[in-house]
Amino acid sequence: MLRVLVGREIKLVFRRKSEILNPLFFFLIVTSLFPFGISPEPSVLGLLAPGVIWVCALLALLLSVDALYREDFDDGSLVQMVMSGVSPASIVFAKAITNWLVTGLPLILLSPLLGVMLNLDNDAFGAMVVSLLLGTPSMCLIAAIGMSLTIGLRRGGILLSLLVLPLYIPILIFGAMAVNAATVGQEFVGQLALLGAGLAFTASLAPWAAGAALRVSLSE
Amino acid sequence: MYQDFSIESEQLALIRGERLLFKQCSFSMKNGQVLQIRGPNGAGKTSLLRVLCGIMEPDQGDVLWCGKSLRKMRESFGANVLYLGHQIGVKRNMTVRENLLFYSNLRQAKPLTTIEEAIQAVGLTGYEDELAAHLSQGQTRRVSLARLLTEPSALWILDEPFVALDVEGQGWLAHLFEQHLAKRGSVIFTSHQSIDLNVKVNTLEVSGGSHA
């Protein structure tokens, strides 16, 4: 069931390529603007790099989520899927998986390049990739809750950010902390463990919460 | 031959904003029956169908599926009911074949007709691999109607199924209704026009529109 759903999502995303590329371009452009705006000094950039990369990845993910849900809501596909006996929880779970595969994963693959550009400390690349690997799936799942709650509203964009950003902040803090700790040569396993715990928590609960929210949104 | 089922509504009422769409709406239905829901625009026909499908919760009353509340019977209901609403859920960025294949895969039921046969039956031969975005409105409607063939369900709940179809298509759909009834299936549909069927069509009037 999940395979059928994810297969469909991926097929649809690849037919609207701009929607995958937009968040990635956003990530690249915003990160590469920082050296111009602040200072091209390598030591300054190296100091800022962990936070900049994490914040930009977070915003790029938030940018990517709307497209996955909006069209399916507008053309009645979500109702049809629910009426076909699929639980709303599997629908949103499939969407979160797709969201991560087509946006989260490419962001992580791009991040080392941006790390080099921002003069990130050599020892911190591993921490950055692992922290993003643990943090981005949680963010996709949390976004699924926010999207399911706000999809019925015509202008849900701002509300989505208000709902979702407070939940992103702990992930951002621990993610950037892990990378920062690695740059100064400290232990960073603790922060990664917290990110992992957060992922276990969201992966087990968010689909159900989002599924229930989706059912409510569809009933309006 | 479909399994036995029954659907009943008890004193349904639905309020949208300040308007009472319908109240005390009761009916019951079994295998092999047709129910046409009639009423002026804005009377709440579509909302009534959405309530019957369990998508919307009624403000009063309950829908019973096989004697039990719909909320507890979602699985059995989903497996036996096909609902085609106002928005028909045909993806513009998927081909005709992919659209039909996706929904029939979701249901995991054995289709009576293959997807190719269904596409032929709705008169879309040659359009199998065409994106739905390139089809006309009537053709898109036909894609969704092809699901009636590929996803065998005892009860069809159809919102304005005759809209956007040409005369030939309307005749074909009426004929499909008759075949479905002969197999002990049932149809609930909304329509403004009277449909010629060689079986008795029960009607339910939704007046609605009064202030709550």
Side-chain angles (χ1 to χ4, degrees), chain A residues 2 17 32 42 66 74 78 109 122 128 132 147 150 152 203 207:
Chain A
L2 211 53
K17 290 202 183 59
S32 51
D66 187 76
D74 288 341
L78 281 175
L109 296 176
N122 280 341
M128 177 183 69
L132 284 171
M147 239 6 254
T150 56

Side-chain angles (χ1 to χ4, degrees), chain B residues 133-198:
Chain B
H134 301 159
L135 301 180
S136 76
Q137 212 193 341
Q139 286 173 319
T140 317
R141 176 62 71 163
R142 282 163 186 261
V143 175
S144 78
L145 291 173
R147 293 183 52 205
L148 298 174
L149 299 168
T150 54
E151 295 166 47
S153 334
L155 174 63
W156 295 348
I157 300 183
L158 310 174
D159 196 355
E160 299 285 0
F162 292 95
V163 159
L165 287 183
D166 53 24
V167 178
E168 188 202 346
Q170 294 181 356
W172 171 80
L173 186 58
H175 182 60
L176 197 66
F177 280 10
E178 285 165 7
Q179 286 179 341
H180 184 58
L181 293 165
K183 287 187 282 186
R184 300 187 69 240
S186 295
V187 184
I188 299 178
F189 71 102
T190 61
S191 184
H192 294 288
Q193 50 202 108
S194 8
I195 309 300
D196 277 331
L197 292 178
N198 59 11

Side-chain angles (χ1 to χ4, degrees), chain A residues 82-96:
Chain A
V82 172
M83 283 302 296
S84 300
V86 186
S87 80
S90 8
I91 298 174
V92 285
F93 194 44
K95 284 189 180 294

Side-chain angles (χ1 to χ4, degrees), chain B residues 96-113:
Chain B
V96 173
R97 195 200 309 270
E98 284 167 347
N99 267 298
L100 294 174
L101 195 63
F102 168 67
Y103 285 117
S104 77
N105 281 345
L106 274 192
R107 264 179 207 268
Q108 300 169 322
K110 260 215 160 78
L112 298 172
T113 32

Side-chain angles (χ1 to χ4, degrees), chain A residues 36-52:
Chain A
F36 298 106
I38 296 171
S39 152
E41 188 65 45
S43 60
V44 178
L45 285 179
L47 198 67
L48 292 173
V52 168

Side-chain angles (χ1 to χ4, degrees), chain B residues 105-126:
Chain B
N105 281 345
L106 274 192
R107 264 179 207 268
Q108 300 169 322
K110 260 215 160 78
L112 298 172
T113 32
T114 64
I115 288 181
E116 265 63 33
E117 286 166 351
I119 291 175
Q120 198 183 3
V122 295
L124 289 177
T125 318

